[in-house]
Amino acid sequence: MTGGNAIRGTRVGSGPAVGESERGEAAPRKRIDYWCANGHHSKPSFALDAEVPEEWDCPRCGLPAGRDQDNPPAARRNEPYKSHLAYVKERRSDEDGMRILDEALAKLRERKGR
């Protein structure tokens, strides 16, 4: 037995009477053309009073897209992943590394009593 106030089998947005009268007026929009370096064309919509960005990420390939079809922006340069050791090698020379290693080994030998 179900109660008289139960809402069964419904979800938000269902039913025949869902329209602009229930959701309110849609904000006025403008569509802007963008092209990426791969030639993909996208046309996102923006509110009339919104600031339109110069670049937009292409939804197909992820490259930056610009508003000039003949001159799309260049792809961003991705830096390869660097390990901690790569960053250390940028800061220290091989001589510095050997000196630090010798100091650390000397401390270890000293603790072990050798």
Side-chain angles (χ1 to χ4, degrees), residues 28-104:
R29 302 254 175 213
K30 59 183 169 186
R31 294 185 64 97
I32 306 296
D33 295 303
Y34 288 94
W35 290 269
C36 72
N38 287 337
H40 300 138
H41 177 235
S42 58
K43 206 169 181 177
S45 62
F46 297 92
L48 286 179
D49 59 347
E51 185 177 330
V52 177
E54 288 299 315
E55 288 189 3
W56 190 259
D57 288 339
C58 177
R60 290 183 64 191
C61 65
L63 290 176
R67 294 167 67 184
D68 182 5
Q69 182 178 6
D70 299 326
N71 192 15
R76 295 180 193 102
R77 185 168 175 248
N78 287 335
E79 293 291 326
Y81 172 77
K82 285 187 190 178
S83 66
H84 175 71
L85 181 59
Y87 284 110
V88 170
K89 286 183 176 182
E90 284 181 2
R91 292 193 315 264
R92 304 209 188 272
S93 67
D94 288 341
E95 294 80 28
D96 288 341
M98 289 306 293
R99 185 177 44 76
I100 292 170
L101 178 62
D102 289 339
E103 288 174 11

